[in-house]
Amino acid sequence: MSVESIMRELVSSYLSYAVVVGSSILKVPQILKVWHNHKADGISLLSLLIELLSYIISTSWGVVQGLPFRDCGENIFITLQLVVLLLLVAKLQKSTRRASLALATELLALCAFASGQVPRTIHEYVLSGQVFFNMFSRVPQIYANYRTRCRGQLSFLTFFLAFGGGVARVLTTSLNVSWDKGKAVLLVQFGVAATLNAVILAQILYYGIADRRFKRAKWSHAKAKSLKSQ
C-alpha cells in the first residue's frame, strides 16, 4: 500500500470519525461556561437560532441521502447541544417564550425534511442556501463582538473546535462525498463556516488580550493611587 493511499484512508475514515467524536463535546465548553457564570452576555440568540436551523437542514439531508454516519454524524450531536445551549441562553436573556416558539418551528422542519416529505428539489435548494445560513449565524455574533468590544461569555474552546472541525470536514467531504450527494454545496458550506469561526476566534483572542491589558492598567493605576495617598 502506497503512502498516498494510506494518507487518503486516514483522512477519509479516521479523520471523519475524529470529527464526529469531537462534535460530541463541541458546545459543552460554551454550555458549561454559561451555566457556571449564570450569564449569557455577548451571546447572540439570533445566531444560535440560525445556526440550529443550519444544522437541522444538514442533519435531514444526511438522513434522506443515507450518508454514512462518519460523514454526517456530527450534525446530530451538535443539533442536540445547540438545543440545550439555546434554551439556556434564552432563559438567562429572558427570551424563553420567543426562543421556544422558534425552536418548536425548527424541530417541526427537521421532522418534515428528515422524513422525506419535502421534495428533493426543494431540499437541495434549501441546502444550497447553507452558505447564507452559515453567514447569518455568525455575522450577528461577529457584529455583537465588534460593537461591545469584548468576548462576553464566548468559549474559545468551542469556536476552536468548530474551526478545526470545519477544516477537517472540507478534507473528508472532498474524499468521501460524491458530487450527486451535494459535494459542491457541502465544500462551500464547510469552507465558509471555518472562515467565519476563524474570525470569531480572532475576536476572542484580540478582545481577551485587550481586556486583560485594561484590567492590568486599571489595577496598576489603583495601586499607584493608593500608594500616593499613603
Side-chain angles (χ1 to χ4, degrees):
M1 185 178 290
S2 65
V3 175
E4 182 180 351
S5 60
I6 293 176
M7 292 301 296
R8 187 181 183 88
E9 177 66 21
L10 287 174
V11 171
S12 64
S13 297
Y14 296 104
L15 185 57
S16 293
Y17 286 117
V19 171
V20 174
V21 172
S23 70
S24 65
I25 60 168
L26 177 64
K27 299 293 182 179
V28 172
Q30 185 67 78
I31 293 172
L32 292 178
K33 186 172 184 178
V34 172
W35 177 267
H36 177 73
N37 295 331
H38 297 287
K39 291 181 180 179
D41 301 342
I43 299 178
S44 171
L45 190 60
L46 177 60
S47 286
L48 291 177
L49 285 168
I50 299 175
E51 184 179 7
L52 177 60
L53 179 59
S54 175
Y55 277 103
I56 280 175
I57 295 171
S58 297
T59 300
S60 61
W61 179 260
V63 172
V64 171
Q65 294 301 313
L67 295 179
F69 184 73
R70 68 180 185 182
D71 294 327
C72 64
E74 75 271 14
N75 293 324
I76 299 173
F77 291 125
I78 297 174
T79 297
L80 294 174
Q81 293 170 69
L82 275 171
V83 170
V84 175
L85 180 59
L86 175 64
L87 292 175
L88 182 58
V89 171
K91 180 180 179 181
L92 292 172
Q93 294 184 356
K94 303 186 185 305
S95 300
T96 304
R97 186 174 181 178
R98 288 182 297 172
S100 298
L101 180 61
L103 176 60
T105 303
E106 292 188 4
L107 292 179
L108 286 175
L110 172 61
C111 294
F113 280 109
S115 63
Q117 298 299 316
V118 178
R120 178 187 170 94
T121 53
I122 296 178
H123 205 163
E124 284 182 332
Y125 179 77
V126 175
L127 184 69
S128 65
Q130 283 288 73
V131 175
F132 299 103
F133 284 125
N134 282 327
M135 291 177 62
F136 293 145
S137 71
R138 288 293 181 256
V139 170
Q141 186 64 69
I142 292 172
Y143 176 72
N145 295 342
Y146 173 77
R147 181 171 53 84
T148 60
R149 296 294 196 278
C150 72
R151 58 182 292 179
Q153 297 299 312
L154 293 179
S155 168
F156 174 84
L157 181 57
T158 288
F159 283 96
F160 179 77
L161 290 173
F163 168 72
V167 173
R169 269 299 172 224
V170 170
L171 296 175
T172 59
T173 299
S174 64
L175 294 175
N176 296 339
V177 181
S178 60
W179 293 106
D180 63 307
K181 296 289 186 179
K183 180 176 183 175
V185 175
L186 292 175
L187 284 175
V188 175
Q189 172 191 339
F190 292 129
V192 171
T195 301
L196 294 175
N197 283 322
V199 172
I200 295 181
L201 273 177
Q203 287 184 316
I204 291 175
L205 288 173
Y206 177 77
Y207 293 131
I209 293 172
D211 184 58
R212 284 193 293 272
R213 286 178 177 174
F214 174 77
K215 289 180 178 178
R216 192 180 301 118
K218 187 177 180 180
W219 179 82
S220 298
H221 177 72
K223 184 178 180 180
K225 187 176 181 180
S226 176
L227 291 174
K228 187 176 181 180
S229 63
Q230 293 177 1

Short mmCIF file of all heavy atoms in Angstrom, two decimals, residues 189-210:
data_model
loop_
_atom_site.label_atom_id
_atom_site.label_comp_id
_atom_site.label_asym_id
_atom_site.label_seq_id
_atom_site.Cartn_x
_atom_site.Cartn_y
_atom_site.Cartn_z
N GLN A 189 -20.02 25.18 2.05
CA GLN A 189 -20.60 25.37 3.38
C GLN A 189 -19.55 25.25 4.48
O GLN A 189 -19.44 26.13 5.34
CB GLN A 189 -21.69 24.32 3.60
CG GLN A 189 -22.24 24.29 5.02
CD GLN A 189 -23.12 23.08 5.26
OE1 GLN A 189 -23.64 22.47 4.32
NE2 GLN A 189 -23.29 22.70 6.52
N PHE A 190 -18.77 24.18 4.44
CA PHE A 190 -17.76 23.97 5.47
C PHE A 190 -16.64 25.00 5.37
O PHE A 190 -16.08 25.42 6.39
CB PHE A 190 -17.19 22.56 5.38
CG PHE A 190 -18.17 21.48 5.75
CD1 PHE A 190 -18.38 20.39 4.91
CD2 PHE A 190 -18.88 21.55 6.93
CE1 PHE A 190 -19.29 19.40 5.25
CE2 PHE A 190 -19.79 20.56 7.29
CZ PHE A 190 -20.00 19.48 6.44
N GLY A 191 -16.31 25.39 4.15
CA GLY A 191 -15.26 26.39 3.97
C GLY A 191 -15.65 27.74 4.55
O GLY A 191 -14.86 28.39 5.24
N VAL A 192 -16.88 28.16 4.27
CA VAL A 192 -17.37 29.44 4.80
C VAL A 192 -17.47 29.38 6.32
O VAL A 192 -17.09 30.33 7.03
CB VAL A 192 -18.73 29.79 4.18
CG1 VAL A 192 -19.36 30.99 4.89
CG2 VAL A 192 -18.59 30.08 2.69
N ALA A 193 -17.98 28.26 6.84
CA ALA A 193 -18.12 28.10 8.29
C ALA A 193 -16.77 28.19 8.99
O ALA A 193 -16.63 28.86 10.02
CB ALA A 193 -18.79 26.77 8.61
N ALA A 194 -15.77 27.53 8.42
CA ALA A 194 -14.43 27.56 9.02
C ALA A 194 -13.87 28.98 9.02
O ALA A 194 -13.25 29.43 10.00
CB ALA A 194 -13.49 26.62 8.26
N THR A 195 -14.09 29.70 7.93
CA THR A 195 -13.59 31.07 7.82
C THR A 195 -14.23 31.99 8.86
O THR A 195 -13.55 32.77 9.54
CB THR A 195 -13.85 31.63 6.41
OG1 THR A 195 -13.21 30.79 5.44
CG2 THR A 195 -13.32 33.05 6.28
N LEU A 196 -15.55 31.90 9.00
CA LEU A 196 -16.26 32.75 9.95
C LEU A 196 -15.90 32.40 11.39
O LEU A 196 -15.80 33.28 12.25
CB LEU A 196 -17.77 32.63 9.73
CG LEU A 196 -18.27 33.18 8.39
CD1 LEU A 196 -19.76 32.90 8.23
CD2 LEU A 196 -18.01 34.68 8.29
N ASN A 197 -15.72 31.11 11.66
CA ASN A 197 -15.28 30.71 13.00
C ASN A 197 -13.89 31.24 13.31
O ASN A 197 -13.57 31.58 14.45
CB ASN A 197 -15.31 29.19 13.14
CG ASN A 197 -16.72 28.65 13.34
OD1 ASN A 197 -17.53 29.25 14.03
ND2 ASN A 197 -17.01 27.51 12.73
N ALA A 198 -13.05 31.31 12.27
CA ALA A 198 -11.70 31.86 12.44
C ALA A 198 -11.78 33.34 12.81
O ALA A 198 -10.99 33.83 13.63
CB ALA A 198 -10.89 31.67 11.17
N VAL A 199 -12.73 34.06 12.21
CA VAL A 199 -12.90 35.48 12.53
C VAL A 199 -13.29 35.65 14.00
O VAL A 199 -12.75 36.51 14.71
CB VAL A 199 -13.98 36.12 11.62
CG1 VAL A 199 -14.30 37.54 12.07
CG2 VAL A 199 -13.51 36.12 10.17
N ILE A 200 -14.24 34.83 14.46
CA ILE A 200 -14.67 34.93 15.86
C ILE A 200 -13.54 34.53 16.80
O ILE A 200 -13.36 35.14 17.87
CB ILE A 200 -15.91 34.05 16.11
CG1 ILE A 200 -17.10 34.60 15.31
CG2 ILE A 200 -16.26 34.00 17.60
CD1 ILE A 200 -18.38 33.82 15.48
N LEU A 201 -12.76 33.54 16.42
CA LEU A 201 -11.60 33.16 17.23
C LEU A 201 -10.63 34.33 17.37
O LEU A 201 -10.12 34.60 18.47
CB LEU A 201 -10.87 31.98 16.58
CG LEU A 201 -11.34 30.57 16.92
CD1 LEU A 201 -10.54 29.55 16.12
CD2 LEU A 201 -11.21 30.29 18.41
N ALA A 202 -10.40 35.02 16.26
CA ALA A 202 -9.50 36.18 16.29
C ALA A 202 -10.07 37.26 17.20
O ALA A 202 -9.32 37.91 17.95
CB ALA A 202 -9.31 36.72 14.88
N GLN A 203 -11.38 37.46 17.16
CA GLN A 203 -12.01 38.46 18.02
C GLN A 203 -11.87 38.08 19.49
O GLN A 203 -11.57 38.93 20.34
CB GLN A 203 -13.50 38.60 17.68
CG GLN A 203 -13.78 39.33 16.38
CD GLN A 203 -15.26 39.50 16.15
OE1 GLN A 203 -16.05 38.58 16.36
NE2 GLN A 203 -15.66 40.69 15.73
N ILE A 204 -12.09 36.80 19.80
CA ILE A 204 -11.98 36.34 21.19
C ILE A 204 -10.57 36.59 21.71
O ILE A 204 -10.37 37.07 22.84
CB ILE A 204 -12.34 34.85 21.29
CG1 ILE A 204 -13.84 34.64 21.03
CG2 ILE A 204 -11.98 34.30 22.67
CD1 ILE A 204 -14.27 33.19 20.98
N LEU A 205 -9.57 36.27 20.89
CA LEU A 205 -8.19 36.48 21.29
C LEU A 205 -7.87 37.97 21.45
O LEU A 205 -7.29 38.39 22.45
CB LEU A 205 -7.25 35.85 20.26
CG LEU A 205 -7.20 34.32 20.24
CD1 LEU A 205 -6.37 33.84 19.05
CD2 LEU A 205 -6.63 33.77 21.53
N TYR A 206 -8.27 38.75 20.45
CA TYR A 206 -7.95 40.18 20.46
C TYR A 206 -8.62 40.91 21.62
O TYR A 206 -7.96 41.63 22.38
CB TYR A 206 -8.37 40.81 19.14
CG TYR A 206 -8.12 42.30 19.08
CD1 TYR A 206 -6.85 42.81 18.86
CD2 TYR A 206 -9.18 43.20 19.26
CE1 TYR A 206 -6.62 44.17 18.82
CE2 TYR A 206 -8.95 44.57 19.22
CZ TYR A 206 -7.68 45.05 19.00
OH TYR A 206 -7.46 46.40 18.97
N TYR A 207 -9.93 40.70 21.76
CA TYR A 207 -10.64 41.40 22.83
C TYR A 207 -10.28 40.85 24.20
O TYR A 207 -10.33 41.57 25.20
CB TYR A 207 -12.15 41.31 22.60
CG TYR A 207 -12.62 42.07 21.38
CD1 TYR A 207 -13.46 41.49 20.44
CD2 TYR A 207 -12.20 43.38 21.16
CE1 TYR A 207 -13.88 42.19 19.32
CE2 TYR A 207 -12.61 44.08 20.03
CZ TYR A 207 -13.44 43.48 19.12
OH TYR A 207 -13.85 44.17 18.00
N GLY A 208 -9.91 39.56 24.25
CA GLY A 208 -9.47 38.99 25.52
C GLY A 208 -8.17 39.62 25.98
O GLY A 208 -8.01 39.96 27.16
N ILE A 209 -7.23 39.78 25.05
CA ILE A 209 -5.95 40.43 25.37
C ILE A 209 -6.16 41.88 25.76
O ILE A 209 -5.58 42.39 26.73
CB ILE A 209 -4.98 40.32 24.18
CG1 ILE A 209 -4.59 38.86 23.94
CG2 ILE A 209 -3.74 41.17 24.41
CD1 ILE A 209 -3.79 38.64 22.67
N ALA A 210 -7.02 42.57 25.00
CA ALA A 210 -7.30 43.98 25.29
C ALA A 210 -7.94 44.14 26.66
O ALA A 210 -7.62 45.08 27.41
CB ALA A 210 -8.21 44.56 24.21
#
